[in-house]
Amino acid sequence: MLAAVSAAVVVTLSKVGVKNIESSVAFAIQSVLIVGVAWGVVAWQGHLGQVAEIDRRTWLFLVAAGIITCASSLFSFQALKLGQASQTSSFDKISLVFSIVLAAVFLKEKITWQVWLGAALMGGGALLIAFTKAPK
């Protein structure tokens, strides 16, 4: 729940932040802060030594995920720049549906009918919000 509330606050603050600057600049500023905080937490927890222990395959997956994370954030910032936060952020929530499909296909996770139904409802709700005409 804390992650969800934090994400909602981030969308709101980012929408204000991209108002007068290019979305990629806003993303770059946030990225520097994320890197600093992330490595600060790793150091504070005493896990810096684990970096040397990471195998090649793990590096490959983490780097690929990092590249996709950057692309996702750039797309999200551009969407925030162009549209209303309440509508553009709903597109990001459709990722839940894609995550479930990818988990079933690639990770061989067993997905129950309740999860499929919930994903369909959330995806439908996100699309409904995203494509609702803005009030004039």
Side-chain angles (χ1 to χ4, degrees):
M1 292 304 285
L2 288 174
V5 172
S6 298
V9 172
V10 167
V11 168
T12 305
L13 295 174
S14 296
K15 176 62 180 175
V16 175
V18 299
K19 185 176 182 179
N20 297 318
I21 63 172
E22 182 58 39
S23 60
S24 59
V25 174
F27 170 64
I29 291 168
Q30 281 192 8
S31 296
V32 169
L33 295 170
I34 291 167
V35 168
V37 170
W39 282 108
V41 169
V42 169
W44 180 71
Q45 293 177 336
H47 298 304
L48 283 173
Q50 287 185 8
V51 174
E53 301 169 9
I54 299 173
D55 63 74
R56 187 173 185 217
R57 183 174 188 265
T58 301
W59 271 111
L60 179 67
F61 282 102
L62 292 176
V63 167
I67 291 168
I68 300 299
T69 298
C70 288
S72 173
S73 294
L74 285 167
F75 295 144
S76 293
F77 271 78
Q78 184 62 26
L80 279 172
K81 179 84 174 170
L82 298 173
Q84 293 187 11
S86 59
Q87 290 180 294
T88 58
S89 65
S90 69
F91 276 112
D92 183 39
K93 305 315 171 235
I94 298 171
S95 66
L96 169 73
V97 177
F98 294 122
S99 294
I100 291 169
V101 171
L102 292 172
V105 172
F106 294 107
L107 302 176
K108 307 296 186 223
E109 291 185 6
K110 303 294 182 210
I111 310 298
T112 65
W113 69 268
Q114 295 97 330
V115 171
W116 286 119
L117 177 61
L121 291 170
M122 289 186 72
L127 289 172
L128 179 64
I129 291 168
F131 291 110
T132 298
K133 298 278 187 206
K136 296 183 181 196

